Amino acid sequence: MMLRAFAAAALLAGLAACATPAPGAPPAAETLAISVGPCFGFCPVYSVEVKAGGQVVFVGERHTAVEGRREAQAPAGGYEAVARALAPFRPATGASEQTTCERQATDMSHYTVVWSAADGTQTTLNHDAGCMSAKNARLMEALKSAPARLGVADWVRRPE
């Protein structure tokens, strides 16, 4: 009887170890939201939210190809690719941070990235696209690639 209980405990421990995410991987129940605010001009204003399972909600507000709410499924690996690209810029869990500027161009779009955990904890990064530095250039690459990785790039593009 004792051996059977030990074997069951060992099996459960082994299964738990398999379910543990890799270091740097986003928690399985986390939602990632990116909001893009206006600039002085015709920059797209929208928000996109994606759950770990790939469910995407897009809301086009102004200067986007699609206005209003749309839902889709992100391409395979889309959520993970965006989460990995933004991971180096993520503040400590529960914190809210603003990126710092070495040089700044005015009248650029403002980005807000919110990581929401299943328990309601939110982690927020605010970034002004005019904040220029090598680190912020990498952040902008990650932010600008997110719509394509999530399958909503055609909804973001301004109509011609």
Short mmCIF file of all heavy atoms in Angstrom, two decimals, residues 94-160:
data_model
loop_
_atom_site.label_atom_id
_atom_site.label_comp_id
_atom_site.label_asym_id
_atom_site.label_seq_id
_atom_site.Cartn_x
_atom_site.Cartn_y
_atom_site.Cartn_z
N GLY A 94 3.05 43.00 -11.75
CA GLY A 94 2.25 43.93 -10.96
C GLY A 94 2.68 45.38 -11.06
O GLY A 94 1.99 46.27 -10.58
N ALA A 95 3.81 45.63 -11.70
CA ALA A 95 4.32 47.00 -11.79
C ALA A 95 3.78 47.70 -13.04
O ALA A 95 3.29 47.07 -13.97
CB ALA A 95 5.85 46.98 -11.84
N SER A 96 3.91 49.02 -13.03
CA SER A 96 3.57 49.83 -14.19
C SER A 96 4.77 50.74 -14.43
O SER A 96 5.21 51.45 -13.53
CB SER A 96 2.32 50.67 -13.91
OG SER A 96 2.00 51.44 -15.04
N GLU A 97 5.31 50.68 -15.66
CA GLU A 97 6.50 51.46 -15.98
C GLU A 97 6.33 52.24 -17.27
O GLU A 97 5.57 51.85 -18.14
CB GLU A 97 7.73 50.54 -16.13
CG GLU A 97 8.19 49.91 -14.84
CD GLU A 97 9.44 49.07 -15.02
OE1 GLU A 97 10.06 49.10 -16.12
OE2 GLU A 97 9.80 48.36 -14.07
N GLN A 98 7.08 53.33 -17.36
CA GLN A 98 7.17 54.15 -18.57
C GLN A 98 8.60 54.01 -19.09
O GLN A 98 9.55 54.09 -18.32
CB GLN A 98 6.90 55.62 -18.22
CG GLN A 98 7.14 56.60 -19.34
CD GLN A 98 6.06 56.55 -20.41
OE1 GLN A 98 4.88 56.48 -20.11
NE2 GLN A 98 6.47 56.57 -21.66
N THR A 99 8.77 53.77 -20.40
CA THR A 99 10.12 53.70 -20.94
C THR A 99 10.77 55.07 -20.83
O THR A 99 10.10 56.10 -20.80
CB THR A 99 10.12 53.24 -22.41
OG1 THR A 99 9.28 54.10 -23.18
CG2 THR A 99 9.66 51.81 -22.55
N THR A 100 12.09 55.08 -20.75
CA THR A 100 12.82 56.34 -20.65
C THR A 100 13.33 56.75 -22.03
O THR A 100 13.56 55.92 -22.90
CB THR A 100 14.02 56.21 -19.69
OG1 THR A 100 14.84 55.13 -20.13
CG2 THR A 100 13.54 55.94 -18.27
N CYS A 101 13.48 58.04 -22.20
CA CYS A 101 13.91 58.59 -23.48
C CYS A 101 15.32 59.17 -23.37
O CYS A 101 15.60 59.92 -22.44
CB CYS A 101 12.98 59.72 -23.92
SG CYS A 101 11.30 59.22 -24.25
N GLU A 102 16.17 58.80 -24.31
CA GLU A 102 17.47 59.46 -24.44
C GLU A 102 17.31 60.68 -25.34
O GLU A 102 17.82 61.74 -25.06
CB GLU A 102 18.50 58.48 -25.00
CG GLU A 102 18.82 57.36 -24.05
CD GLU A 102 19.75 56.32 -24.66
OE1 GLU A 102 20.36 56.58 -25.71
OE2 GLU A 102 19.88 55.24 -24.06
N ARG A 103 16.60 60.46 -26.45
CA ARG A 103 16.22 61.53 -27.37
C ARG A 103 14.75 61.32 -27.66
O ARG A 103 14.27 60.20 -27.66
CB ARG A 103 17.01 61.44 -28.68
CG ARG A 103 18.49 61.67 -28.52
CD ARG A 103 19.23 61.47 -29.84
NE ARG A 103 19.09 60.08 -30.27
CZ ARG A 103 18.86 59.69 -31.53
NH1 ARG A 103 18.76 60.57 -32.48
NH2 ARG A 103 18.74 58.43 -31.84
N GLN A 104 14.03 62.41 -27.96
CA GLN A 104 12.61 62.25 -28.19
C GLN A 104 12.12 63.08 -29.36
O GLN A 104 12.43 64.27 -29.46
CB GLN A 104 11.80 62.62 -26.95
CG GLN A 104 10.33 62.35 -27.13
CD GLN A 104 9.55 62.42 -25.84
OE1 GLN A 104 10.09 62.80 -24.80
NE2 GLN A 104 8.30 62.04 -25.88
N ALA A 105 11.37 62.42 -30.23
CA ALA A 105 10.63 63.10 -31.29
C ALA A 105 9.21 63.30 -30.76
O ALA A 105 8.66 62.42 -30.10
CB ALA A 105 10.62 62.26 -32.55
N THR A 106 8.63 64.43 -31.03
CA THR A 106 7.30 64.71 -30.51
C THR A 106 6.21 64.21 -31.45
O THR A 106 6.47 63.87 -32.60
CB THR A 106 7.12 66.22 -30.28
OG1 THR A 106 7.29 66.89 -31.54
CG2 THR A 106 8.13 66.74 -29.27
N ASP A 107 5.01 64.20 -30.95
CA ASP A 107 3.81 63.89 -31.73
C ASP A 107 3.78 62.49 -32.31
O ASP A 107 3.20 62.26 -33.37
CB ASP A 107 3.62 64.93 -32.85
CG ASP A 107 3.53 66.35 -32.31
OD1 ASP A 107 2.96 66.50 -31.22
OD2 ASP A 107 4.03 67.26 -32.97
N MET A 108 4.37 61.53 -31.62
CA MET A 108 4.37 60.14 -32.07
C MET A 108 3.31 59.35 -31.29
O MET A 108 2.84 59.79 -30.25
CB MET A 108 5.75 59.53 -31.86
CG MET A 108 6.89 60.26 -32.55
SD MET A 108 6.80 60.17 -34.33
CE MET A 108 7.44 58.54 -34.59
N SER A 109 2.98 58.18 -31.79
CA SER A 109 2.00 57.32 -31.13
C SER A 109 2.50 56.87 -29.76
O SER A 109 3.70 56.77 -29.52
CB SER A 109 1.74 56.06 -31.97
OG SER A 109 1.13 56.40 -33.19
N HIS A 110 1.55 56.60 -28.89
CA HIS A 110 1.85 56.07 -27.57
C HIS A 110 1.34 54.63 -27.50
O HIS A 110 0.24 54.35 -27.95
CB HIS A 110 1.15 56.91 -26.49
CG HIS A 110 1.46 56.44 -25.11
ND1 HIS A 110 2.60 56.80 -24.45
CD2 HIS A 110 0.79 55.60 -24.29
CE1 HIS A 110 2.61 56.21 -23.25
NE2 HIS A 110 1.53 55.48 -23.15
N TYR A 111 2.17 53.74 -26.98
CA TYR A 111 1.81 52.33 -26.85
C TYR A 111 1.64 51.98 -25.38
O TYR A 111 2.44 52.41 -24.54
CB TYR A 111 2.92 51.43 -27.41
CG TYR A 111 3.03 51.46 -28.91
CD1 TYR A 111 3.66 52.52 -29.57
CD2 TYR A 111 2.53 50.43 -29.69
CE1 TYR A 111 3.78 52.54 -30.95
CE2 TYR A 111 2.63 50.44 -31.07
CZ TYR A 111 3.26 51.50 -31.69
OH TYR A 111 3.37 51.52 -33.05
N THR A 112 0.63 51.19 -25.09
CA THR A 112 0.44 50.63 -23.75
C THR A 112 0.34 49.13 -23.91
O THR A 112 -0.48 48.63 -24.70
CB THR A 112 -0.84 51.18 -23.08
OG1 THR A 112 -0.75 52.60 -23.01
CG2 THR A 112 -1.01 50.59 -21.69
N VAL A 113 1.19 48.41 -23.20
CA VAL A 113 1.18 46.95 -23.21
C VAL A 113 0.77 46.49 -21.82
O VAL A 113 1.36 46.94 -20.83
CB VAL A 113 2.57 46.37 -23.57
CG1 VAL A 113 2.52 44.85 -23.61
CG2 VAL A 113 3.07 46.94 -24.88
N VAL A 114 -0.23 45.63 -21.75
CA VAL A 114 -0.70 45.13 -20.46
C VAL A 114 -0.70 43.61 -20.50
O VAL A 114 -1.31 43.00 -21.37
CB VAL A 114 -2.13 45.64 -20.14
CG1 VAL A 114 -2.60 45.08 -18.80
CG2 VAL A 114 -2.17 47.16 -20.13
N TRP A 115 0.01 43.03 -19.54
CA TRP A 115 0.02 41.59 -19.33
C TRP A 115 -0.95 41.34 -18.17
O TRP A 115 -0.76 41.89 -17.08
CB TRP A 115 1.39 41.09 -18.93
CG TRP A 115 2.45 41.18 -19.98
CD1 TRP A 115 2.85 40.18 -20.83
CD2 TRP A 115 3.31 42.31 -20.29
NE1 TRP A 115 3.88 40.62 -21.63
CE2 TRP A 115 4.18 41.91 -21.32
CE3 TRP A 115 3.41 43.61 -19.80
CZ2 TRP A 115 5.14 42.76 -21.86
CZ3 TRP A 115 4.36 44.46 -20.33
CH2 TRP A 115 5.22 44.03 -21.36
N SER A 116 -2.00 40.56 -18.38
CA SER A 116 -3.00 40.29 -17.34
C SER A 116 -2.95 38.81 -16.96
O SER A 116 -3.17 37.95 -17.81
CB SER A 116 -4.41 40.64 -17.83
OG SER A 116 -4.49 42.01 -18.15
N ALA A 117 -2.69 38.55 -15.70
CA ALA A 117 -2.64 37.18 -15.20
C ALA A 117 -4.04 36.69 -14.87
O ALA A 117 -4.97 37.50 -14.71
CB ALA A 117 -1.76 37.11 -13.95
N ALA A 118 -4.21 35.40 -14.75
CA ALA A 118 -5.51 34.80 -14.44
C ALA A 118 -6.05 35.31 -13.11
O ALA A 118 -7.26 35.41 -12.94
CB ALA A 118 -5.40 33.28 -14.44
N ASP A 119 -5.16 35.67 -12.18
CA ASP A 119 -5.62 36.15 -10.87
C ASP A 119 -5.96 37.64 -10.88
O ASP A 119 -6.29 38.21 -9.85
CB ASP A 119 -4.57 35.85 -9.79
CG ASP A 119 -3.29 36.65 -9.96
OD1 ASP A 119 -3.18 37.48 -10.89
OD2 ASP A 119 -2.36 36.45 -9.13
N GLY A 120 -5.89 38.29 -12.04
CA GLY A 120 -6.23 39.70 -12.15
C GLY A 120 -5.05 40.65 -12.05
O GLY A 120 -5.19 41.85 -12.28
N THR A 121 -3.88 40.14 -11.72
CA THR A 121 -2.70 40.99 -11.63
C THR A 121 -2.35 41.54 -13.01
O THR A 121 -2.28 40.79 -13.97
CB THR A 121 -1.50 40.20 -11.08
OG1 THR A 121 -1.84 39.66 -9.80
CG2 THR A 121 -0.26 41.08 -10.95
N GLN A 122 -2.15 42.85 -13.08
CA GLN A 122 -1.78 43.48 -14.34
C GLN A 122 -0.39 44.09 -14.25
O GLN A 122 -0.04 44.71 -13.25
CB GLN A 122 -2.78 44.55 -14.73
CG GLN A 122 -4.13 43.99 -15.10
CD GLN A 122 -5.02 45.00 -15.77
OE1 GLN A 122 -4.94 46.19 -15.50
NE2 GLN A 122 -5.88 44.53 -16.64
N THR A 123 0.36 43.89 -15.31
CA THR A 123 1.70 44.45 -15.46
C THR A 123 1.64 45.33 -16.69
O THR A 123 1.19 44.89 -17.74
CB THR A 123 2.72 43.31 -15.63
OG1 THR A 123 2.62 42.43 -14.51
CG2 THR A 123 4.13 43.85 -15.75
N THR A 124 2.08 46.60 -16.56
CA THR A 124 1.87 47.57 -17.63
C THR A 124 3.18 48.24 -18.05
O THR A 124 3.97 48.66 -17.21
CB THR A 124 0.88 48.65 -17.18
OG1 THR A 124 -0.33 48.02 -16.75
CG2 THR A 124 0.57 49.63 -18.31
N LEU A 125 3.35 48.35 -19.36
CA LEU A 125 4.46 49.10 -19.93
C LEU A 125 3.89 50.18 -20.83
O LEU A 125 3.08 49.90 -21.72
CB LEU A 125 5.37 48.18 -20.76
CG LEU A 125 6.53 48.87 -21.48
CD1 LEU A 125 7.53 49.45 -20.48
CD2 LEU A 125 7.20 47.91 -22.45
N ASN A 126 4.27 51.43 -20.60
CA ASN A 126 3.88 52.56 -21.43
C ASN A 126 5.10 53.01 -22.22
O ASN A 126 6.19 53.15 -21.66
CB ASN A 126 3.36 53.71 -20.56
CG ASN A 126 2.06 53.35 -19.89
OD1 ASN A 126 1.05 53.18 -20.55
ND2 ASN A 126 2.09 53.20 -18.58
N HIS A 127 4.88 53.25 -23.51
CA HIS A 127 6.01 53.64 -24.36
C HIS A 127 5.57 54.67 -25.38
O HIS A 127 4.55 54.51 -26.05
CB HIS A 127 6.57 52.41 -25.09
CG HIS A 127 7.63 52.74 -26.08
ND1 HIS A 127 8.86 53.24 -25.70
CD2 HIS A 127 7.65 52.69 -27.42
CE1 HIS A 127 9.59 53.46 -26.78
NE2 HIS A 127 8.87 53.13 -27.84
N ASP A 128 6.33 55.74 -25.48
CA ASP A 128 6.12 56.75 -26.50
C ASP A 128 7.01 56.39 -27.69
O ASP A 128 8.22 56.24 -27.54
CB ASP A 128 6.51 58.12 -25.94
CG ASP A 128 6.19 59.25 -26.88
OD1 ASP A 128 6.49 59.14 -28.09
OD2 ASP A 128 5.64 60.27 -26.43
N ALA A 129 6.42 56.25 -28.86
CA ALA A 129 7.18 55.84 -30.04
C ALA A 129 8.28 56.84 -30.40
O ALA A 129 9.21 56.50 -31.12
CB ALA A 129 6.25 55.65 -31.24
N GLY A 130 8.20 58.04 -29.87
CA GLY A 130 9.23 59.04 -30.13
C GLY A 130 10.45 58.91 -29.24
O GLY A 130 11.44 59.62 -29.44
N CYS A 131 10.41 58.02 -28.25
CA CYS A 131 11.56 57.81 -27.36
C CYS A 131 12.60 56.97 -28.11
O CYS A 131 12.38 55.79 -28.37
CB CYS A 131 11.14 57.10 -26.09
SG CYS A 131 10.20 58.12 -24.97
N MET A 132 13.71 57.60 -28.43
CA MET A 132 14.70 56.93 -29.26
C MET A 132 15.93 56.52 -28.47
O MET A 132 16.50 57.32 -27.74
CB MET A 132 15.09 57.85 -30.42
CG MET A 132 13.93 58.10 -31.37
SD MET A 132 14.36 59.19 -32.71
CE MET A 132 14.04 60.77 -31.92
N SER A 133 16.28 55.27 -28.62
CA SER A 133 17.50 54.67 -28.08
C SER A 133 17.60 53.29 -28.71
O SER A 133 16.65 52.82 -29.34
CB SER A 133 17.43 54.54 -26.55
OG SER A 133 16.48 53.57 -26.17
N ALA A 134 18.72 52.64 -28.54
CA ALA A 134 18.88 51.29 -29.11
C ALA A 134 17.85 50.33 -28.49
O ALA A 134 17.22 49.54 -29.20
CB ALA A 134 20.29 50.79 -28.88
N LYS A 135 17.67 50.41 -27.17
CA LYS A 135 16.71 49.52 -26.50
C LYS A 135 15.29 49.81 -26.99
O LYS A 135 14.53 48.89 -27.28
CB LYS A 135 16.79 49.71 -24.99
CG LYS A 135 15.81 48.82 -24.23
CD LYS A 135 15.92 49.00 -22.74
CE LYS A 135 14.94 48.09 -22.03
NZ LYS A 135 14.99 48.21 -20.59
N ASN A 136 14.93 51.09 -27.11
CA ASN A 136 13.59 51.42 -27.55
C ASN A 136 13.37 51.07 -29.02
O ASN A 136 12.24 50.77 -29.42
CB ASN A 136 13.28 52.89 -27.27
CG ASN A 136 13.08 53.15 -25.79
OD1 ASN A 136 12.72 52.25 -25.04
ND2 ASN A 136 13.32 54.37 -25.35
N ALA A 137 14.42 51.07 -29.81
CA ALA A 137 14.29 50.63 -31.21
C ALA A 137 13.92 49.15 -31.26
O ALA A 137 13.08 48.75 -32.07
CB ALA A 137 15.59 50.90 -31.98
N ARG A 138 14.51 48.35 -30.38
CA ARG A 138 14.16 46.92 -30.32
C ARG A 138 12.72 46.74 -29.84
O ARG A 138 12.00 45.88 -30.34
CB ARG A 138 15.14 46.17 -29.43
CG ARG A 138 16.54 46.05 -30.03
CD ARG A 138 17.45 45.13 -29.24
NE ARG A 138 17.63 45.53 -27.85
CZ ARG A 138 18.50 46.44 -27.41
NH1 ARG A 138 19.29 47.07 -28.26
NH2 ARG A 138 18.60 46.72 -26.13
N LEU A 139 12.31 47.56 -28.88
CA LEU A 139 10.93 47.50 -28.40
C LEU A 139 9.96 47.85 -29.53
O LEU A 139 8.95 47.17 -29.73
CB LEU A 139 10.73 48.45 -27.21
CG LEU A 139 9.29 48.62 -26.72
CD1 LEU A 139 8.65 47.30 -26.34
CD2 LEU A 139 9.27 49.61 -25.55
N MET A 140 10.28 48.89 -30.30
CA MET A 140 9.41 49.28 -31.42
C MET A 140 9.33 48.17 -32.47
O MET A 140 8.26 47.94 -33.04
CB MET A 140 9.88 50.59 -32.05
CG MET A 140 9.54 51.83 -31.23
SD MET A 140 7.77 51.98 -30.80
CE MET A 140 7.00 51.99 -32.42
N GLU A 141 10.43 47.47 -32.71
CA GLU A 141 10.39 46.34 -33.64
C GLU A 141 9.40 45.28 -33.14
O GLU A 141 8.61 44.74 -33.93
CB GLU A 141 11.77 45.71 -33.79
CG GLU A 141 12.75 46.53 -34.60
CD GLU A 141 14.15 45.91 -34.60
OE1 GLU A 141 14.27 44.68 -34.41
OE2 GLU A 141 15.11 46.67 -34.79
N ALA A 142 9.46 45.00 -31.85
CA ALA A 142 8.55 44.00 -31.27
C ALA A 142 7.10 44.47 -31.37
O ALA A 142 6.21 43.68 -31.72
CB ALA A 142 8.93 43.73 -29.81
N LEU A 143 6.85 45.74 -31.08
CA LEU A 143 5.49 46.26 -31.12
C LEU A 143 4.95 46.31 -32.55
O LEU A 143 3.81 45.95 -32.81
CB LEU A 143 5.44 47.65 -30.50
CG LEU A 143 5.65 47.69 -28.98
CD1 LEU A 143 5.87 49.12 -28.51
CD2 LEU A 143 4.48 47.05 -28.25
N LYS A 144 5.78 46.74 -33.49
CA LYS A 144 5.33 46.85 -34.87
C LYS A 144 5.14 45.48 -35.54
O LYS A 144 4.35 45.35 -36.47
CB LYS A 144 6.30 47.70 -35.68
CG LYS A 144 6.17 49.17 -35.34
CD LYS A 144 7.06 50.02 -36.22
CE LYS A 144 6.83 51.49 -35.93
NZ LYS A 144 7.59 52.34 -36.85
N SER A 145 5.83 44.46 -35.06
CA SER A 145 5.67 43.12 -35.63
C SER A 145 4.47 42.37 -35.04
O SER A 145 4.03 41.37 -35.60
CB SER A 145 6.94 42.29 -35.43
OG SER A 145 7.12 41.97 -34.06
N ALA A 146 3.94 42.86 -33.93
CA ALA A 146 2.84 42.15 -33.25
C ALA A 146 1.62 41.95 -34.14
O ALA A 146 1.08 40.83 -34.19
CB ALA A 146 2.48 42.85 -31.95
N PRO A 147 1.11 42.96 -34.86
CA PRO A 147 -0.09 42.72 -35.67
C PRO A 147 0.09 41.59 -36.70
O PRO A 147 -0.82 40.77 -36.88
CB PRO A 147 -0.34 44.07 -36.36
CG PRO A 147 0.24 45.07 -35.41
CD PRO A 147 1.48 44.39 -34.86
N ALA A 148 1.23 41.54 -37.36
CA ALA A 148 1.46 40.46 -38.33
C ALA A 148 1.52 39.11 -37.64
O ALA A 148 0.95 38.12 -38.12
CB ALA A 148 2.74 40.72 -39.12
N ARG A 149 2.19 39.05 -36.50
CA ARG A 149 2.32 37.79 -35.77
C ARG A 149 0.97 37.30 -35.25
O ARG A 149 0.76 36.11 -35.07
CB ARG A 149 3.30 37.94 -34.62
CG ARG A 149 4.72 38.07 -35.10
CD ARG A 149 5.67 38.32 -33.96
NE ARG A 149 7.04 38.15 -34.43
CZ ARG A 149 8.10 38.46 -33.72
NH1 ARG A 149 7.96 38.96 -32.50
NH2 ARG A 149 9.31 38.28 -34.21
N LEU A 150 0.06 38.25 -35.00
CA LEU A 150 -1.26 37.89 -34.47
C LEU A 150 -2.31 37.76 -35.57
O LEU A 150 -3.47 37.48 -35.29
CB LEU A 150 -1.71 38.93 -33.43
CG LEU A 150 -0.81 39.03 -32.20
CD1 LEU A 150 -1.29 40.14 -31.28
CD2 LEU A 150 -0.74 37.69 -31.47
N GLY A 151 -1.92 37.99 -36.81
CA GLY A 151 -2.83 37.82 -37.93
C GLY A 151 -3.80 38.96 -38.16
O GLY A 151 -4.83 38.77 -38.81
N VAL A 152 -3.50 40.16 -37.63
CA VAL A 152 -4.41 41.29 -37.79
C VAL A 152 -3.78 42.47 -38.55
O VAL A 152 -4.35 43.55 -38.59
CB VAL A 152 -4.97 41.78 -36.42
CG1 VAL A 152 -5.76 40.66 -35.74
CG2 VAL A 152 -3.85 42.29 -35.53
N ALA A 153 -2.65 42.24 -39.18
CA ALA A 153 -1.96 43.34 -39.87
C ALA A 153 -2.84 43.98 -40.94
O ALA A 153 -2.81 45.21 -41.11
CB ALA A 153 -0.65 42.84 -40.50
N ASP A 154 -3.65 43.20 -41.65
CA ASP A 154 -4.51 43.77 -42.67
C ASP A 154 -5.62 44.63 -42.07
O ASP A 154 -6.15 45.51 -42.74
CB ASP A 154 -5.14 42.67 -43.52
CG ASP A 154 -4.12 42.02 -44.45
OD1 ASP A 154 -3.06 42.63 -44.71
OD2 ASP A 154 -4.38 40.89 -44.92
N TRP A 155 -5.96 44.41 -40.82
CA TRP A 155 -6.96 45.25 -40.16
C TRP A 155 -6.37 46.57 -39.70
O TRP A 155 -7.06 47.57 -39.58
CB TRP A 155 -7.56 44.52 -38.95
CG TRP A 155 -8.35 43.31 -39.33
CD1 TRP A 155 -8.77 42.94 -40.57
CD2 TRP A 155 -8.82 42.30 -38.44
NE1 TRP A 155 -9.47 41.77 -40.53
CE2 TRP A 155 -9.52 41.34 -39.23
CE3 TRP A 155 -8.72 42.09 -37.09
CZ2 TRP A 155 -10.14 40.22 -38.68
CZ3 TRP A 155 -9.32 40.97 -36.53
CH2 TRP A 155 -10.01 40.05 -37.31
N VAL A 156 -5.06 46.58 -39.44
CA VAL A 156 -4.38 47.78 -38.96
C VAL A 156 -4.09 48.75 -40.12
O VAL A 156 -4.24 49.96 -39.97
CB VAL A 156 -3.06 47.44 -38.24
CG1 VAL A 156 -2.26 48.69 -37.91
CG2 VAL A 156 -3.34 46.62 -36.98
N ARG A 157 -3.68 48.21 -41.27
CA ARG A 157 -3.28 49.05 -42.39
C ARG A 157 -4.35 50.05 -42.76
O ARG A 157 -5.52 49.70 -42.89
CB ARG A 157 -2.98 48.18 -43.61
CG ARG A 157 -1.68 47.50 -43.51
CD ARG A 157 -1.27 46.93 -44.87
NE ARG A 157 -0.16 46.02 -44.67
CZ ARG A 157 -0.29 44.71 -44.52
NH1 ARG A 157 -1.46 44.16 -44.60
NH2 ARG A 157 0.77 43.97 -44.33
N ARG A 158 -3.89 51.28 -42.98
CA ARG A 158 -4.82 52.32 -43.39
C ARG A 158 -5.32 52.05 -44.80
O ARG A 158 -4.59 51.61 -45.65
CB ARG A 158 -4.10 53.68 -43.41
CG ARG A 158 -3.96 54.28 -42.07
CD ARG A 158 -3.27 55.64 -42.08
NE ARG A 158 -3.29 56.36 -43.33
CZ ARG A 158 -4.19 57.29 -43.66
NH1 ARG A 158 -5.15 57.58 -42.84
NH2 ARG A 158 -4.12 57.92 -44.81
N PRO A 159 -6.58 52.35 -45.02
CA PRO A 159 -7.08 52.21 -46.40
C PRO A 159 -6.41 53.22 -47.31
O PRO A 159 -6.09 54.32 -46.89
CB PRO A 159 -8.57 52.49 -46.25
CG PRO A 159 -8.78 53.06 -44.90
CD PRO A 159 -7.57 52.78 -44.08
N GLU A 160 -6.18 52.85 -48.55
CA GLU A 160 -5.50 53.75 -49.47
C GLU A 160 -6.50 54.50 -50.34
O GLU A 160 -7.57 54.17 -50.56
CB GLU A 160 -4.53 52.96 -50.34
CG GLU A 160 -3.43 52.39 -49.47
CD GLU A 160 -2.41 51.65 -50.30
OE1 GLU A 160 -2.23 51.95 -51.49
OE2 GLU A 160 -1.78 50.76 -49.74
#
